[in-house]
């Protein structure tokens, strides 16, 4: 019998959930919209300031992990315990939570003790702000040559860190930071709330 996810070591989890890169799937925007609608319906009390599809699955034609990343921005006066309880009741699993230096929660769906489900999601809950992920996404959509460079980098890092998500993510950070800053200069206050 397979161990429960909560009983697995980080190494076991990385083995069960390796870095997988796939060609763009035209279903990604539809999968995002389904979850967005559920969240908007469940939190129809003004809690949500903005919901956005972020990450590589939001960028047409780019190689990506087949994981739909959703940024759910909330009001800073929201009761965090209520948010957590409501999301857990919707089958979201809280993966990490930090309050300092910035409030962030990350939830997931689609991870099972046998591996990935057909649809995999990461939900990033944060207070509303002009988040870099929004700028980075827009810049890569507008600049396919940079999106291609990013895809190449991800292929290299997948070969190097297939079973180490932290190393894979950390080594992309410089590229993401560089082009997020360029995008912020270009787009200005596009995402200011």
């Amino acid at each position: 019998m397979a161990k429960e996810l909560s009983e697995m070591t980080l190494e076991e989890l990385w083995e069960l959930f390796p870095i997988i890169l796939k060609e763009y799937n035209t279903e990604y925007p539809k999968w995002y919209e389904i979850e967005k609608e559920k969240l908007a319906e469940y939190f129809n009390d003004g809690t949500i300031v903005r919901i956005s599809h972020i990450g590589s699955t939001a960028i047409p034609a780019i190689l990506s992990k087949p994981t739909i990343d959703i940024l759910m921005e909330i009001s800073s006066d929201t009761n965090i315990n209520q948010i957590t309880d409501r999301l857990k009741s919707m089958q979201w699993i809280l993966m990490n939570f930090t309050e300092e230096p910035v409030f962030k929660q990350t939830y997931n769906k689609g991870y099972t003790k046998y591996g990935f489900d057909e649809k995999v999601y990461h939900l990033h809950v944060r207070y509303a702000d002009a988040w870099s992920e929004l700028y980075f996404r827009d810049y890569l959509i507008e600049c396919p040559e940079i999106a291609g460079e990013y895809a190449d980098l991800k292929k290299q890092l997948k070969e190097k860190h297939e079973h180490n998500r932290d190393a894979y993510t950390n080594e992309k950070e410089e590229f993401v930071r560089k082009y997020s800053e360029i995008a912020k200069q270009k787009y200005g206050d596009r995402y200011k709330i």
Side-chain angles (χ1 to χ4, degrees), residues 163-177:
H163 296 284
N164 186 334
R165 284 178 173 264
D166 289 348
Y168 173 83
T169 300
N170 290 340
E171 286 198 41
K172 291 189 307 178
E173 201 169 290
E174 184 179 330
F175 185 97
V176 172
R177 187 178 313 119

Side-chain angles (χ1 to χ4, degrees), residues 15 143 154 167 191:
E15 193 65 33
C143 301
K154 290 194 295 183
Y191 290 107

Side-chain angles (χ1 to χ4, degrees), residues 8-151:
M8 294 183 190
T9 66
L10 189 57
E11 290 74 22
E12 288 172 321
L13 289 168
W14 284 343
E15 193 65 33
L16 184 59
F17 304 112
I19 302 298
I20 296 170
L21 295 175
K22 292 188 175 184
E23 295 298 325
Y24 181 76
N25 181 340
T26 57
E27 294 294 308
Y28 292 155
K30 295 173 192 167
W31 295 355
Y32 160 72
E33 287 296 331
I34 290 167
E35 286 302 315
K36 176 185 175 182
E37 287 175 23
K38 289 178 188 174
L39 290 164
E41 184 178 315
Y42 206 74
F43 291 97
N44 63 357
D45 58 359
T47 297
I48 297 173
V49 175
R50 177 171 55 206
I51 302 178
S52 305
H53 187 182
I54 59 171
S56 294
T57 59
I59 303 164
I62 191 173
L63 192 69
S64 66
K65 293 193 311 283
T67 302
I68 308 301
D69 284 286
I70 300 171
L71 174 61
M72 185 172 93
E73 297 174 82
I74 60 173
S75 170
S76 61
D77 61 357
T78 301
N79 181 317
I80 300 306
N81 291 329
Q82 278 186 341
I83 290 272
T84 303
D85 291 344
R86 289 164 98 181
L87 287 169
K88 285 180 178 178
S89 76
M90 296 175 70
Q91 308 310 308
W92 288 98
I93 299 169
L94 179 62
M95 296 306 295
N96 60 55
F97 175 36
T98 59
E99 292 187 85
E100 298 295 332
V102 179
F103 164 76
K104 293 181 180 182
Q105 287 185 324
T106 306
Y107 294 82
N108 73 31
K109 264 189 189 179
Y111 289 74
T112 77
K113 61 185 177 181
Y114 304 107
F116 292 114
D117 210 344
E118 178 190 357
K119 296 176 186 171
V120 179
Y121 296 90
H122 288 172
L123 177 65
H124 308 270
V125 180
R126 301 185 191 156
Y127 293 135
D129 202 351
W131 293 102
S132 294
E133 291 91 338
L134 300 167
Y135 289 91
F136 184 71
R137 175 201 63 199
D138 290 359
Y139 193 76
L140 266 58
I141 289 171
E142 190 175 304
C143 301
E145 68 283 356
I146 303 301
E149 287 179 31
Y150 187 49

